[in-house]
Amino acid sequence: MAWRNHSTITEFILIGLSDDPYIEALLFVLFLGIYLLTVMGNLMLLLVIRADSRLHTPMYFFLSNLSFLDICFSSVTVPKLLKDLLSEKRTISVEGCLTQVFFAFITPGTEAFLLSVMAYDRYAAICHPLLYGQVMSTQFCVKLVLISWGLACLHAFIIVLLAINLDFCEAQTIHHYICELPSLFPLSCSDISINVDILICSILLHGLGTFLPISFSYARIVSTILSISSTSGRSKTFSTCSSHFITVTLFFGSGLIRYLMPTTDSSLDLLLSLQYGAVTPLLNPFIYSLKNKEVKAAVRRTLGKYL
């Protein structure tokens, strides 16, 4: 599949985060630490859930998939960023840019659907505890994850098609550290109004289609929690759901602003992408492990077997 444009452009130049060698060195150490912690934290959560049979429940099945997605999402952007921080020539081929556009969307796109599924799971567990085991069967959980991947893949193909249909003249400098569709629009010398409209509509459909079920689920959860007379019951439920809410707020907030707001080539665009592309995947395993007593107990049991 070739990139449709009328120029001889074979690669793009990425501006990156800084031109100062000293700042680049500090950023390299910072993001290397973030990437290693992200991989190790999410991998630890995956292994603990896998090893402890007490965590073989729908909630932790979805959480393990979230950890896998966070490892994938971080690996799409951060390794390239680390390489560019050590290189004088920050370039990416047209094919590589197109590939990054696809994977930089399919992974967070799947995560958005998965967060919606996780909210429904908590709603079913808290609001309909007697029917929970029957509703959230293993088969149903697997189907929900597969549907999440399938819908995100379909949406990612739409995003890539928008990128393929862009015409580039001579501009080849991307004012960003990765290839994202909003950053490619300013480089196009053709009319992008239809592309922008399709992007906004698809993002709104994707965002609202996943965020509204989350909002509905949490509204019902809060209503149910307020009716619990036991203080310990309220505390345990709030502890579980607050972790999910923090993740949702960080992820949706930065992601929607990045894709819906016009690209300004400012530091805000970089910060938003770093927030949902590097920081959120790092925070997820720590939020769930530090705020969840079951996970902390499972970590201690797992470590106790080998120490």
Side-chain angles (χ1 to χ4, degrees), residues 16 18 22 39 48 54 94 134 140 155-156 188 198 211 219 221 227 231 242 254 269-270 281 285 287 290 299-300 307:
S18 175
Y22 296 103
V39 173
V48 167
R54 300 183 193 184
V94 168
Q134 181 180 351
F140 185 59
H155 196 183
S188 177
I198 293 175
F211 189 72
I221 288 171
S227 66
T231 304
S242 63
S254 55
D269 292 336
L270 298 174
I287 288 173
L290 294 176
V299 170
R300 287 193 294 268
L307 297 178

Side-chain angles (χ1 to χ4, degrees), residues 30-267:
L30 173 64
F31 285 104
L32 178 61
I34 287 176
Y35 182 63
L36 292 176
L37 286 174
T38 298
V39 173
M40 290 189 295
N42 283 289
L43 191 59
M44 179 203 70
L45 205 51
L46 276 170
L47 294 175
V48 167
I49 293 173
R50 173 81 176 179
D52 197 313
S53 59
R54 300 183 193 184
L55 300 184
H56 292 176
T57 62
M59 174 182 171
Y60 294 106
F61 171 71
F62 295 132
L63 181 55
S64 63
N65 279 274
L66 180 66
S67 292
F68 174 73
L69 278 169
D70 283 334
I71 293 174
C72 293
F73 189 20
S74 184
S75 298
V76 169
T77 59
V78 180
K80 172 62 177 171
L81 171 61
L82 293 174
K83 175 180 176 294
D84 288 343
L85 287 172
L86 296 179
S87 305
E88 293 185 8
K89 187 180 181 183
R90 303 167 187 159
T91 60
I92 185 169
S93 67
V94 168
E95 294 79 10
C97 188
L98 186 62
T99 301
Q100 196 172 57
V101 166
F102 178 79
F103 284 104
F105 192 86
I106 188 174
T107 43
T110 305
E111 186 162 330
F113 283 114
L114 189 60
L115 289 172
S116 182
V117 168
M118 292 173 70
Y120 174 75
D121 171 70
R122 291 300 83 207
Y123 158 75
I126 295 169
C127 300
H128 303 284
L130 298 179
L131 298 175
Y132 179 70
Q134 181 180 351
V135 173
M136 301 303 292
S137 64
T138 302
Q139 271 189 331
F140 185 59
C141 292
V142 172
K143 286 179 181 178
L144 287 175
V145 171
L146 292 177
I147 290 172
S148 298
W149 275 101
L151 291 175
C153 187
L154 178 62
H155 196 183
F157 273 119
I158 295 174
I159 297 298
V160 170
L161 288 176
L162 293 179
I164 290 175
N165 287 325
L166 292 176
D167 291 328
F168 299 100
C169 298
E170 297 300 329
Q172 60 181 135
T173 301
I174 298 175
H175 294 270
H176 212 282
Y177 71 95
I178 58 170
C179 282
E180 287 182 324
L181 187 57
S183 297
L184 293 179
F185 282 154
L187 305 185
S188 177
C189 58
S190 57
D191 183 14
I192 62 170
S193 57
I194 296 179
N195 299 64
V196 173
D197 290 341
I198 293 175
L199 175 64
I200 291 175
C201 290
S202 65
I203 293 297
L204 285 175
L205 183 62
H206 193 147
L208 294 178
T210 51
F211 189 72
L212 288 180
I214 293 174
S215 301
F216 171 79
S217 296
Y218 274 106
R220 294 298 304 271
I221 288 171
V222 169
S223 176
T224 302
I225 290 175
L226 293 177
S227 66
I228 297 176
S229 57
S230 169
T231 304
S232 60
R234 286 187 184 184
S235 176
K236 182 179 179 182
T237 306
F238 267 119
S239 177
T240 301
C241 294
S242 63
S243 302
H244 190 187
F245 184 74
I246 291 171
T247 303
V248 169
T249 303
L250 291 173
F251 180 77
F252 276 90
S254 55
L256 288 175
I257 293 174
R258 171 68 181 119
Y259 274 86
L260 292 178
M261 296 294 289
T263 299
T264 59
D265 295 338
S266 66
S267 57

